[in-house]
Amino acid sequence: MEKDEYRQQIRTELDRVVDFWLKHSHDTEYGGFFTCIGRDGKVYDELKYVWLQGRQVWMYCRLYRTMERFRRPEILEAAKAGGAFLRNGGSGGDSWKCAFCLTRDGKAVKVQRTIFSECFYVLALDELSRVTGDVDMQAEAEQMLQQLVHWVRVDPSGLGRLRLPGDVPTSSMAVPMMLLCLVQQLMEGRGQEAEQRHGELGAWCVQQILQHVQRGGKAVLENVSAEGAELPGCQGRLQNPGHALEAGWFLLQYAAQRGDGELQRTAVDTFMELPYQQGWDQEHGGLFYFLDVDGHCPTQLEWSMKLWWPHCEALISFLMAYRRTGNPLLLHRFAQIFQYTFSHFSDAEHGEWFGYLTREGKVALDFKGGPFKGFFHVPRCLHMCELILDELLAGEGR
Amino acid sequence: MEKDEYRQQIRTELDRVVDFWLKHSHDTEYGGFFTCIGRDGKVYDELKYVWLQGRQVWMYCRLYRTMERFRRPEILEAAKAGGAFLRNGGSGGDSWKCAFCLTRDGKAVKVQRTIFSECFYVLALDELSRVTGDVDMQAEAEQMLQQLVHWVRVDPSGLGRLRLPGDVPTSSMAVPMMLLCLVQQLMEGRGQEAEQRHGELGAWCVQQILQHVQRGGKAVLENVSAEGAELPGCQGRLQNPGHALEAGWFLLQYAAQRGDGELQRTAVDTFMELPYQQGWDQEHGGLFYFLDVDGHCPTQLEWSMKLWWPHCEALISFLMAYRRTGNPLLLHRFAQIFQYTFSHFSDAEHGEWFGYLTREGKVALDFKGGPFKGFFHVPRCLHMCELILDELLAGEGR
């Protein structure tokens, strides 16, 4: 397939995905978004998951701000209503801690002892402030980031986790990845002043992510010790190829902004090609969800399932890497993953994508939205791939 | 197959399963049992899961106490060492709360905000006290039960869960089931005095379990409101056929001890035949793990997988129900489940059972022990079925 054909298919798919969520997810009574949405668009649970509220606000605003055809009042209004819902109900009490899950009318149901609800809160507020010009909102996003940094780098006790004698402090790759994502968000287009404010944190995140490269560069491991050493047992051996691939394009973007050729090579070789080689299922196609670096069976029941989001991250990674390097092998990888992804996850009948396939590629869970799947990975992937293809085609004079 | 053939196959299987754990799970250095054991018996993680420590102590002692061929010193010694490990390291601090997971040398890694580690602690200590005659240990089991009752019926704050504004109090079927199991354990063979001490709690558990029968008797739901009404959303619609089947034999045993014919009918019709009808996969065989009573797709990624333990519980239920009623349909159900279970879960090569199959019946995770699978459901099922078959065959004069 040619690049303009990819672009056309991706553009059409993005339109269908946006339509699906515009049509089915808005709660016009209480604000915010329904996140549990069945195959055909019907809401099967009214709980509102906070990660997904924040992500949908961010994604609507980003589409509104960066793609002409989505600069539509209904998208902006929905994003504003989502932002208001999040600010009213997102926090479980008087602290900075946000809930993980809310009732339809915004009462906290569950709070996680992690930082991720708060991270998506920052993402939402900053991007929304960019389209509305609300400076208070932007300031709140900056303040929340400082709170997050305090929890991660100074004192985690506010997260509510017990310190137990056998519980060694560990570094989960998700934390520096998430913070790097926020740094990139807050710095985008804001020049030297933002670089001064967040530059050190960005560099720290990159260094922390690189600590997960283990075994002489032959493996990316999800969990390492606080000092960056391999941990014993299943936790230490855990690999999540889709997550490594996502870190890959975070690092590549960071390297490109700074013209850091060495980091670019590490991003492509170690965070893209390596997880692809280790994570691609040679028998049935698709990326495994979890693997054990020594080949033991992971204890996660879903380890061999094929999830939508690792495939989204892989598409972004390989297309961005091709755009940066011009290496045709990377376009070939993109094409292979595109073929699997579009033929297995996309629902031709009702629109949007299935999220969860069996190892063999059969739909195992047929809903379009659930506790961890919302309006985020699919549209972010399609949005970014469309923009990268625009650049590539512009460079070729098309 | 004839009853004596079933008994022979079950007896042989029980011997092989006991051998597997005797050979591979004992930690002779720190006491207690390794619980993460690979297909061939190799330990792949040294963490010790507390549920499984307690369950293995209980199971060893029960085999030792009730089956002549297992009255072996090595089994008793291992149970004692496991009990000592549990008493030293089981508790995460100075409270009654037990850890969920320990390091190899017994330091707490994780504590759950539920009662289950403590329940298996009671089970282990009471059964161990029966074989050793240690009255202090038995008293400790009784005291811990009182603490559990306090958390469940009086004040849950000691479990460490936040009360959030949107978090409606719910009744999970696991809690009264577990407590009923403890009541039965502590009352067994102890006559009127134990009946006086625990009779009220047993009756309360039964009443609580029966609250999970909903929709005019046409469904057993895992979660209901504290008042026994159906809850909205996925949580309210959740069904776990294997769990209902396990409750079935708990209730049947209770009904038999009291000569309660009506409860016996409910146990068999509502907690065995109904979950079997709803939970059996007509296409591939085996019991689904989770279902949604309205036919929505459950949000648990593993909903359609076939797990070993629901099949263990189903075997006990239908054989016990046949023994109580003589209804040949129930023996037919037992035979069908036996056929699926023995041909899919049992590992002819290395012994013991696989725990996790795909919907189609292929092994998805090949370890023999993991965070939730230890020396418990398989040997408990084989042990109980062997004893029931002994009774049936004795009744037939064989």
Side-chain angles (χ1 to χ4, degrees):
Chain A
M1 223 157 88
E2 294 295 319
K3 292 189 196 77
D4 54 353
E5 293 173 89
Y6 283 120
R7 183 172 62 176
Q8 190 49 51
Q9 209 171 320
I10 284 170
R11 190 184 279 164
T12 306
E13 192 76 7
L14 180 55
D15 289 345
R16 292 184 74 211
V17 168
V18 172
D19 286 347
F20 184 93
W21 291 87
L22 284 175
K23 189 165 166 195
H24 299 299
S25 72
H26 296 187
D27 182 358
T28 50
E29 201 171 332
Y30 291 95
F33 310 105
F34 294 116
T35 50
C36 292
I37 299 183
R39 182 178 177 190
D40 59 359
K42 224 182 109 192
V43 174
Y44 63 85
D45 195 317
E46 293 184 347
L47 289 177
K48 290 174 177 165
Y49 288 88
V50 172
W51 294 16
L52 309 185
Q53 303 295 314
R55 286 165 161 184
Q56 189 155 353
V57 171
W58 176 82
M59 193 72 237
Y60 272 169
C61 292
R62 178 128 310 213
L63 290 169
Y64 183 88
R65 188 164 67 84
T66 62
M67 279 183 165
E68 197 56 43
R69 70 185 190 277
F70 295 116
R71 188 159 301 209
R72 284 150 49 183
E74 60 170 331
I75 291 180
L76 180 60
E77 289 314 310
K80 282 184 188 170
F85 181 80
L86 204 51
R87 281 178 112 179
N88 286 334
S91 175
D94 48 6
S95 78
W96 285 88
K97 202 76 197 75
C98 291
F100 173 69
C101 180
L102 301 166
T103 56
R104 183 177 173 188
D105 58 352
K107 290 201 281 289
V109 176
K110 209 183 270 189
V111 177
Q112 284 186 318
R113 296 174 284 185
T114 59
I115 60 164
F116 303 111
S117 290
E118 294 77 9
C119 289
F120 295 113
Y121 189 83
V122 172
L123 218 54
L125 261 53
D126 183 73
E127 189 66 28
L128 184 54
S129 77
R130 288 172 184 263
V131 295
T132 60
D134 184 336
V135 288
D136 289 346
M137 189 177 273
Q138 205 236 316
E140 192 184 334
E142 295 275 358
Q143 278 181 299
M144 180 65 102
L145 178 65
Q146 293 320 308
Q147 177 62 61
L148 288 168
V149 170
H150 178 80
W151 283 329
V152 172
R153 297 179 70 176
V154 184
D155 178 13
S157 63
L159 295 173
R161 259 175 299 186
L162 266 66
R163 269 257 77 80
L164 296 166
D167 184 15
V168 187
T170 63
S171 162
S172 154
M173 198 163 74
V175 171
M177 279 175 67
M178 200 64 239
L179 291 182
L180 181 59
C181 175
L182 299 187
V183 165
Q184 303 267 40
Q185 171 72 29
L186 294 179
M187 283 173 54
E188 188 183 319
R190 291 195 177 126
Q192 263 319 108
E193 196 238 336
E195 173 69 36
Q196 261 161 22
R197 201 164 17 173
H198 299 300
E200 188 274 335
L201 178 59
W204 180 84
C205 290
V206 169
Q207 173 265 327
Q208 289 282 308
I209 293 170
L210 293 176
Q211 281 195 347
H212 291 260
V213 180
Q214 295 287 328
R215 304 200 172 189
K218 295 289 172 235
V220 179
L221 303 180
E222 277 293 295
N223 305 297
V224 294
S225 78
E227 297 75 34
E230 192 173 327
L231 293 165
C234 294
Q235 186 194 21
R237 296 191 305 265
L238 186 68
Q239 296 187 288
N240 180 330
H243 211 209
L245 281 153
E246 186 180 14
W249 70 259
F250 286 13
L251 293 174
L252 182 55
Q253 220 170 28
Y254 185 91
Q257 284 156 2
R258 279 154 191 78
D260 185 337
E262 198 192 322
L263 184 58
Q264 174 166 312
R265 263 190 307 280
T266 302
V268 177
D269 295 348
T270 310
F271 285 85
M272 296 180 190
E273 187 61 15
L274 190 65
Y276 165 82
Q277 289 293 347
Q278 295 171 340
W280 188 260
D281 183 351
Q282 295 298 336
E283 199 177 339
H284 301 285
L287 292 161
F288 288 113
Y289 191 21
F290 291 114
L291 291 170
D292 177 296
V293 68
D294 286 336
H296 297 282
C297 176
T299 55
Q300 288 83 358
L301 303 196
E302 67 274 27
W303 76 270
S304 63
M305 290 175 74
K306 310 292 163 65
L307 271 64
W308 86 108
W309 70 261
H311 297 81
C312 293
E313 302 312 316
L315 288 172
I316 299 171
S317 270
F318 284 111
L319 193 61
M320 191 187 284
Y322 172 68
R323 161 88 179 79
R324 290 286 155 206
T325 65
N327 179 351
L329 174 73
L330 298 167
L331 186 62
H332 173 74
R333 295 271 183 263
F334 170 80
Q336 183 193 16
I337 296 158
F338 183 96
Q339 161 59 25
Y340 181 89
T341 303
F342 276 69
S343 62
H344 285 80
F345 289 104
S346 177
D347 180 7
E349 192 177 341
H350 296 281
E352 242 284 331
W353 291 16
F354 300 115
Y356 305 90
L357 313 179
T358 65
R359 178 172 178 184
E360 291 76 16
K362 233 177 70 183
V363 175
L365 293 91
D366 72 359
F367 52 73
K368 301 296 168 53
F372 295 93
K373 183 175 187 290
F375 183 69
F376 185 62
H377 288 97
V378 178
R380 181 173 74 166
C381 164
L382 298 170
H383 167 260
M384 291 185 68
C385 288
E386 185 182 325
L387 292 181
I388 297 170
L389 286 163
D390 282 346
E391 291 174 5
L392 285 166
L393 289 162
E396 293 173 9
R398 282 193 282 187
Chain B
M1 223 159 87
E2 294 295 318
K3 290 189 198 79
D4 53 355
E5 294 172 88
Y6 283 120
R7 182 171 64 175
Q8 189 50 50
Q9 208 171 320
I10 283 170
R11 188 185 279 166
T12 306
E13 192 75 9
L14 180 56
D15 290 344
R16 292 185 74 213
V17 168
V18 172
D19 286 346
F20 185 93
W21 291 87
L22 283 175
K23 189 164 165 197
H24 300 297
S25 72
H26 296 188
D27 181 359
T28 50
E29 200 171 333
Y30 292 96
F33 310 105
F34 294 116
T35 48
C36 291
I37 299 183
R39 182 180 176 188
D40 59 359
K42 224 183 108 192
V43 174
Y44 63 85
D45 195 319
E46 293 184 346
L47 289 176
K48 290 173 177 165
Y49 289 88
V50 173
W51 293 17
L52 308 185
Q53 303 294 315
R55 287 165 161 184
Q56 189 156 352
V57 170
W58 176 82
M59 193 73 238
Y60 272 168
C61 293
R62 178 130 307 215
L63 289 170
Y64 183 89
R65 188 165 67 85
T66 61
M67 279 183 166
E68 197 57 40
R69 70 186 190 277
F70 295 116
R71 188 159 303 208
R72 285 149 49 182
E74 59 171 330
I75 290 179
L76 180 59
E77 288 315 310
K80 283 184 187 169
F85 181 80
L86 205 50
R87 282 178 111 180
N88 285 333
S91 173
D94 49 5
S95 78
W96 285 87
K97 203 76 196 73
C98 291
F100 172 68
C101 180
L102 300 166
T103 57
R104 184 177 172 189
D105 59 351
K107 291 201 282 288
V109 176
K110 209 183 271 187
V111 177
Q112 285 186 318
R113 295 175 284 184
T114 58
I115 60 164
F116 303 111
S117 289
E118 294 77 7
C119 288
F120 295 113
Y121 189 83
V122 172
L123 218 53
L125 260 53
D126 183 72
E127 189 66 28
L128 183 55
S129 78
R130 288 172 185 261
V131 293
T132 61
D134 184 336
V135 288
D136 289 346
M137 189 177 274
Q138 205 237 314
E140 192 184 334
E142 294 275 358
Q143 277 180 299
M144 179 64 102
L145 178 66
Q146 293 321 307
Q147 178 61 60
L148 289 168
V149 169
H150 178 80
W151 283 329
V152 171
R153 298 180 68 177
V154 182
D155 178 11
S157 62
L159 295 173
R161 259 176 300 186
L162 266 65
R163 269 257 77 79
L164 296 166
D167 185 16
V168 187
T170 63
S171 162
S172 152
M173 197 164 74
V175 171
M177 278 175 68
M178 200 65 238
L179 291 182
L180 181 59
C181 175
L182 299 186
V183 165
Q184 302 268 40
Q185 171 71 30
L186 293 177
M187 283 173 54
E188 188 184 318
R190 292 195 176 124
Q192 263 319 108
E193 195 238 335
E195 173 69 35
Q196 261 161 19
R197 199 162 18 168
H198 297 301
E200 188 274 335
L201 178 58
W204 180 83
C205 292
V206 169
Q207 172 264 327
Q208 288 283 308
I209 294 170
L210 293 176
Q211 281 195 347
H212 291 260
V213 180
Q214 294 287 328
R215 304 198 172 192
K218 294 290 173 236
V220 179
L221 303 179
E222 277 293 294
N223 304 297
V224 295
S225 78
E227 297 75 32
E230 193 173 327
L231 291 164
C234 294
Q235 186 193 23
R237 296 192 304 266
L238 187 68
Q239 297 187 287
N240 180 331
H243 212 209
L245 281 153
E246 185 179 13
W249 70 258
F250 286 14
L251 293 174
L252 182 56
Q253 220 170 26
Y254 186 91
Q257 285 157 2
R258 279 152 191 79
D260 184 337
E262 196 192 323
L263 184 60
Q264 174 165 314
R265 262 190 308 282
T266 302
V268 176
D269 296 347
T270 310
F271 286 83
M272 297 181 190
E273 187 60 16
L274 189 65
Y276 166 82
Q277 290 294 346
Q278 295 170 340
W280 188 259
D281 182 353
Q282 294 299 334
E283 199 177 339
H284 301 284
L287 292 161
F288 288 113
Y289 191 22
F290 291 113
L291 292 170
D292 178 295
V293 68
D294 286 337
H296 297 283
C297 177
T299 56
Q300 288 84 358
L301 303 196
E302 67 275 25
W303 76 270
S304 63
M305 290 175 74
K306 310 292 164 64
L307 271 65
W308 85 108
W309 71 260
H311 297 81
C312 293
E313 302 312 315
L315 287 172
I316 299 170
S317 270
F318 284 112
L319 193 61
M320 192 188 281
Y322 172 68
R323 159 90 179 78
R324 290 287 154 206
T325 64
N327 179 352
L329 173 74
L330 299 167
L331 186 62
H332 172 74
R333 295 272 183 260
F334 170 80
Q336 184 193 15
I337 296 158
F338 183 97
Q339 160 59 25
Y340 181 89
T341 303
F342 275 69
S343 61
H344 285 81
F345 289 104
S346 177
D347 179 8
E349 193 178 339
H350 295 282
E352 243 285 329
W353 291 17
F354 300 114
Y356 305 89
L357 314 179
T358 65
R359 178 172 178 184
E360 292 76 16
K362 231 178 70 181
V363 176
L365 294 91
D366 72 358
F367 53 73
K368 300 297 169 51
F372 296 94
K373 182 174 186 290
F375 184 69
F376 185 61
H377 288 98
V378 178
R380 180 172 75 168
C381 163
L382 298 170
H383 168 259
M384 290 185 68
C385 288
E386 184 182 325
L387 292 180
I388 297 170
L389 286 163
D390 282 346
E391 290 174 6
L392 285 166
L393 289 162
E396 292 174 9
R398 279 193 283 184

